[in-house]
Amino acid sequence: MPQRFASVTLSVVTPMYNEREAVDHFVARLRPVLDGLGVTYEVVAVDDGSRDATVARLIEMRREWPELRVVALRRNVGHQTALRAGLRSAHGAYVVSIDADLQDPPEVIGEMLDAARQQDVHVVYGVRGDRSTDTVFKRNTAGLYYWVMRRLVGPWVSDNAGDFRLMSRAVVDVLNDLPEQRPVYRLVVPSLGFSSAEVAYTRAERVAGETKYPLSKMIKLTLDSVTSFSAAPLRIATWLGLFSFLLCLALIVSGLAAWGFGAVVPGWTSLYIAVLLLGGIQLICLGLLGEYIGRIYAASQNRPQFLVAMDTEDEAARRVADGIESVELAGRR
Ligand code: UDP
Ligand code: MG
C-alpha cells in the first residue's frame, strides 16, 4: 500500500457530541501540551452532529488557535464512525485519538509519541491503570464486554485499552482502507498485528456534562463488536437447536412410556411449555441470523457512513468560519 503524504508530525483526533460544556476545559488543557511537544501538529475536532453550540464554540476558538481544525458531520453517527471521519481527515505521521471530556489526560500524548519514536513501534495503547472514577455500572459492564470479546475475538484484546491510542500513518492508512462499514477500532487495531507498546494512565472523571454513551449505544457497540469478529453466536444457535431437539426426544420417550403404563397424561402443561420453549429458541436464532444479514445488507448498499458538512481546511469554509465571508455569500458561489 502506498504511504500517503503526512504534512504534520501529529494529528489529534477528537470526536465530540454535545460537548459544549467540556470543550473549553479540553482546549485549555490540550493546547499547552501540544505546543510543548516541539512538533508540528493539527487537532481534528470532529463534531458528531451536536445539537448544542459545540461547533460554534470550536470555530470561535479556532481564530486563536489555527492548528485547531473543525470537521462537522451532517448528523450524529456515533463515536466509532465519528472517529473514522477523523482518521480519514487526519494528515499526521502519527495520529492520536482522544475523548473530549478529559477522561483521557492530554499530558499522556507526549509519552505516547516518545514511546512510538524511541521503541520504534506503530501503535501505542493508552492502558487504564485505574478505573475507580468510573461508575460501578460502567466498570462492570465494561468488564463483561472485554471478557466476552477476549473469548470471541482473541486473547490480544486488552482489558483496559479503549480508544485512547497513538497510531502511525501506516496503521491509519490500513484502517482507512478497510471496506468494513462499522469497524470497532479497539478490536480491529490489535488484530492487525502491528508492533505496539503501552502507556499506563489513570482515567479521570468527565470534566463537565454527561456521558454520551447511554445503554442503547453500549449495546450497539457490543453487537457490532461481536458480529464483526465472530460467527460464534450463530453456532450458539445450532447448539440451542440441538439441545432442544434432544429434550424433545426425551419427552417423546417419556410420553410413550407413560402411555404404555396407562398413566394418562393430561398433557396441557407439558405441551404449553414445549411450545413456548421451542418458539423462544426459534426466535432467538432468527434474531441472530437477522443481526448478520442486516449487516450484510448494509454492506451491500454501501451508503456513506458519514457526510462532512464543513471542514475548516476547505478554503470557503474557513473564510466563513473566520468571519471574512458570510454564509449566504459562500452558499451562492
Ligand atoms: N461521542 C461522539 N458521538 C456519540 C457519542 C459520543 O462523538 O454519539 C464522543 C464524546 O463526545 C466523547 C467520546 O465520544 O468525546 C466518548 O464519549 P463519552 O465520554 O460520553 O463516553 P464514556 O466515557 O462515558 O464511555
Ligand atoms: Mg467519557
Side-chain angles (χ1 to χ4, degrees):
M1 195 175 309
Q3 280 270 311
R4 277 158 217 169
F5 176 65
S7 54
V8 288
T9 304
L10 182 70
S11 296
V12 177
V13 172
T14 310
M16 296 185 183
Y17 179 52
N18 293 344
E19 298 287 7
R20 175 64 191 90
E21 288 168 58
V23 74
D24 280 80
H25 302 276
F26 179 66
V27 166
R29 226 171 105 192
L30 182 65
R31 186 168 187 183
V33 171
L34 297 181
D35 284 341
L37 288 179
V39 298
T40 52
Y41 69 84
E42 63 170 354
V43 175
V44 183
V46 182
D47 178 73
D48 186 11
S50 295
R51 275 184 288 264
D52 63 4
T54 304
V55 183
R57 182 66 189 130
L58 282 169
I59 284 175
E60 229 169 71
M61 287 192 286
R62 212 189 74 80
R63 295 188 185 148
E64 259 105 70
W65 193 18
E67 283 87 358
L68 177 62
R69 182 171 153 206
V70 187
V71 175
L73 304 184
R74 289 203 180 274
R75 66 167 176 89
N76 181 246
V77 290
H79 177 218
Q80 293 292 306
T81 308
L83 201 56
R84 168 161 249 200
L87 293 180
R88 288 245 168 105
S89 308
H91 297 301
Y94 292 101
V95 180
V96 170
S97 49
I98 184 171
D99 286 355
D101 57 1
L102 287 178
Q103 287 201 278
D104 311 327
E107 293 75 21
V108 178
I109 294 175
E111 286 176 51
M112 288 178 162
L113 192 61
D114 286 345
R117 287 170 147 179
Q118 281 158 18
Q119 299 174 40
D120 195 24
V121 290
H122 281 285
V123 188
V124 181
Y125 297 103
V127 177
R128 298 177 270 232
D130 173 13
R131 280 190 88 126
S132 57
T133 54
D134 274 338
T135 60
V136 176
F137 177 69
K138 185 99 202 174
R139 255 181 291 157
N140 282 307
T141 47
L144 182 67
Y145 171 83
Y146 286 110
W147 184 83
V148 172
M149 289 314 137
R150 245 197 319 283
R151 259 143 204 87
L152 288 183
V153 178
W156 31 258
V157 175
S158 169
D159 229 352
N160 289 305
D163 280 310
F164 185 26
R165 76 178 88 76
L166 175 142
M167 295 171 285
S168 70
R169 172 69 12 210
V171 179
V172 174
D173 283 348
V174 171
L175 293 180
N176 287 345
D177 286 338
L178 285 180
E180 224 169 309
Q181 283 268 325
R182 298 212 298 260
V184 179
Y185 288 116
R186 67 190 67 174
L187 303 178
V188 172
V189 174
S191 81
L192 297 175
F194 280 97
S195 56
S196 67
E198 290 183 354
V199 169
Y201 73 99
T202 308
R203 192 147 165 92
E205 243 165 290
R206 174 178 258 283
V207 63
E210 281 158 19
T211 175
K212 308 298 179 304
Y213 250 98
L215 188 62
S216 59
K217 279 189 180 164
M218 281 168 26
I219 292 174
K220 230 168 140 185
L221 180 75
T222 308
L223 279 177
D224 279 341
S225 305
V226 172
T227 53
S228 69
F229 264 97
S230 171
L234 289 176
R235 225 167 296 137
I236 297 176
T238 314
W239 285 113
L240 272 177
L242 200 66
F243 173 73
S244 59
F245 176 70
L246 289 177
L247 195 72
C248 285
L249 273 187
L251 283 176
I252 289 171
V253 172
S254 73
L256 280 178
W259 179 73
F261 286 117
V264 182
V265 185
W268 187 79
T269 314
S270 55
L271 204 65
Y272 182 68
I273 291 174
V275 168
L276 276 187
L277 193 75
L278 276 176
I281 290 173
Q282 278 172 347
L283 283 178
I284 290 173
C285 298
L286 278 179
L288 269 175
L289 281 175
E291 290 293 331
Y292 285 90
I293 292 174
R295 280 164 178 76
I296 297 171
Y297 180 55
S300 68
Q301 282 176 312
N302 202 15
R303 294 222 184 104
Q305 297 122 46
F306 59 85
L307 289 173
V308 174
M310 183 214 55
D311 182 346
T312 52
E313 200 178 61
D314 301 335
E315 181 61 26
R318 185 164 54 233
R319 291 173 73 82
V320 174
D322 291 348
I324 298 168
E325 217 169 89
S326 68
V327 178
E328 299 82 61
L329 257 179
R332 240 184 277 147
R333 235 184 326 203

